[in-house]
Amino acid sequence: MLNSLGIAKPPAETRVVVAMSGGVDSSVVAALLKEEGYDVVGITLQLYDFGAALRKGACCAGQDIYDAATVAERIGIPHYVLDYESRFKEQVIEEFADSYARGETPIPCVRCNQTVKFRDLLATARDLGADALATGHYVQRHLGPDGPELLRGADAARDQSYFLFATTPEQLAYLRFPLGHLSKLETRDLAQRYGLSVHDKPDSQDICFVPDGDYAAIVKRLRPEAVEPGEIVDLAGRVVGQHQGVIHYTIGQRRGLGLGAEVSGGEPLFVIRLEPNRRRVIVGPRAALGRDRVHVKEVNWLGAPGVTEAACTVKLRSAQAPIPATLVRQADGSGTLTLTAPQHGIAPGQAAVFYDGERVLGGGWITATELSDLEVAA
């Protein structure tokens, strides 16, 4: 007989490691599983320097580690803090800086889930003899005909599936998401019922390792060449302004260009593409942003085995509603999405996440885009 986590053991004989970030979600997961009688072990990751991390709106910071320890003591489970700072710097922060230097718009939270949390922490959980690793993400895991499937969270406003597209089938077999069927309000109500001090703690905001949202300062320190000044050029090649580094711009950006109305003839200008090797920012009208073909790399496939072409919907940004597309996957891990209608502001470095209804089919990293009737990719 299977327990509530789908494991053929009594809860008392089932060890579950809970990734405790110090926030309300993972704290409720630990308390919920403890109440159900599981052998729960809490683990919190120290990902970067305490001094730089003692601020509100962060995660895996000094205050968060204290909060996680307080919750663990309250519910009576062992709690360990693991120093993953060097791994986090190498696998997340350095990659973040490199991505911006390449003219991309990175998503470090996905890389963190992909590497530090769902690879390294998962291995540690296995070393501790755990039967599963549980997190507070708002996604759902169901068993399908080919094994575990990843689905969007029941609360569309809290769904985090976009950020977990890189979860592999092997990892999904080991992971559990006990909050996937709940809303945030229901989670906070549970935290109050369990008497957890974090029941009204604000959600983490922005990128955890970027103080005050100033990501450019991080990139400047790690990759100073990425903030060299250069030219802002229109689609005809005419220099219309100067910039202080391509890292300050992203595809589709309108605000902060510093260009007067005389440059655009009164028409709003947008960032059309970035050329970091030439230190150029290319601007043009909104119509020039339209793209209906999206190339991706490092595709992680969670759909039926062997499928290389699929009709799907795709999210090209975390806050975007899924749009219809056709995906063709290649053996080298790359793929091409053909959209049913052009979209504006698709940025390399972001993720393209594929869905079949509520099910996550996988995703990949956007490398380039084009408009199907143009010969030159943007």
Side-chain angles (χ1 to χ4, degrees):
M1 183 175 178
L2 301 180
N3 59 34
S4 64
L5 296 179
I7 299 170
K9 288 184 179 181
E13 298 176 15
T14 304
R15 174 166 291 181
V16 184
V17 164
V18 177
M20 298 182 68
S21 67
V24 62
D25 300 324
S26 57
S27 296
V28 167
V29 168
L32 185 66
L33 295 176
K34 174 65 175 178
E35 182 182 55
E36 292 182 9
Y38 289 96
D39 176 11
V40 179
V41 177
I43 290 184
T44 301
L45 304 181
Q46 178 195 330
L47 298 183
Y48 46 94
D49 177 70
F50 282 106
L54 289 173
R55 62 184 183 87
K56 294 182 179 180
C59 74
C60 306
Q63 181 63 45
D64 296 302
I65 292 172
Y66 172 81
D67 289 342
T70 300
V71 168
E73 183 178 10
R74 163 76 182 177
I75 63 177
I77 65 169
H79 175 254
Y80 304 97
V81 178
L82 303 182
D83 182 357
Y84 276 23
E85 188 172 338
S86 61
R87 306 184 197 197
F88 185 72
K89 182 177 186 297
E90 176 184 345
Q91 298 170 6
V92 180
I93 300 179
E94 296 280 355
E95 169 60 25
F96 173 82
D98 285 339
S99 184
Y100 263 115
R102 292 192 297 265
E104 300 171 347
T105 305
I107 316 175
C109 296
V110 176
R111 285 296 188 195
C112 184
N113 289 330
Q114 183 180 20
T115 57
V116 174
K117 291 181 179 176
F118 285 179
R119 187 184 65 199
D120 297 346
L121 178 56
L122 191 145
T124 298
R126 290 189 187 279
D127 289 343
L128 290 172
D131 297 285
L133 171 65
T135 80
H137 289 101
Y138 287 89
V139 293
Q140 300 183 82
R141 174 190 178 277
H142 291 174
L143 285 178
D146 299 310
E149 299 176 353
L150 184 64
L151 281 74
R152 288 193 276 191
D155 182 355
R158 301 298 308 181
D159 169 49
Q160 293 174 297
S161 60
Y162 180 87
F163 300 98
L164 297 183
F165 81 84
T167 306
T168 66
E170 294 75 21
Q171 292 168 343
L172 193 57
Y174 191 66
L175 288 163
R176 298 295 187 274
F177 309 105
L179 304 185
H181 64 293
L182 301 178
S183 68
K184 185 73 175 195
L185 181 60
E186 290 171 320
T187 298
R188 290 197 182 277
D189 286 346
L190 282 173
Q192 278 196 299
R193 180 164 74 81
Y194 292 131
L196 305 183
S197 59
V198 296
H199 69 88
D200 59 350
K201 185 176 181 178
D203 292 338
S204 59
Q205 301 291 329
D206 300 320
I207 299 170
C208 65
F209 59 88
V210 181
D212 304 319
D214 188 7
Y215 69 87
I218 299 287
V219 180
K220 182 177 181 179
R221 176 168 55 84
L222 296 174
R223 303 291 183 271
E225 68 279 3
V227 293
E228 293 179 0
E231 297 173 338
I232 301 177
V233 181
D234 66 15
L235 293 174
R238 181 169 60 106
V239 177
V240 296
Q242 302 292 318
H243 67 77
Q244 297 303 310
V246 295
I247 66 166
H248 298 289
Y249 302 87
T250 187
I251 305 301
Q253 178 179 333
R254 176 183 175 185
R255 299 184 183 277
L257 300 184
L259 304 177
E262 68 278 4
V263 170
S264 63
E267 182 179 15
L269 292 176
F270 298 80
V271 176
I272 305 301
R273 67 178 181 271
L274 302 174
E275 297 179 351
N277 292 338
R278 303 174 69 181
R279 302 200 303 277
R280 297 206 314 178
V281 175
I282 313 300
V283 297
R286 185 175 187 275
L289 282 169
R291 299 290 186 270
D292 62 1
R293 189 168 294 154
V294 181
H295 301 284
V296 293
K297 66 176 182 179
E298 298 178 34
V299 171
N300 180 57
W301 183 247
L302 294 172
V307 173
T308 57
E309 182 172 350
C312 62
T313 58
V314 60
K315 291 181 70 168
L316 302 169
R317 293 183 297 277
S318 61
Q320 179 194 47
I323 56 175
T326 299
L327 168 70
V328 176
R329 297 193 299 129
Q330 305 298 331
D332 64 357
S334 65
T336 300
L337 285 158
T338 301
L339 312 179
T340 56
Q343 299 294 309
H344 296 81
I346 306 172
Q350 293 281 290
V353 181
F354 328 131
Y355 295 87
D356 178 9
E358 296 300 302
R359 182 182 177 185
V360 181
L361 296 178
W365 298 100
I366 299 171
T367 59
T369 62
E370 32 183 353
L371 192 59
S372 55
D373 60 352
L374 294 180
E375 295 183 359
V376 181

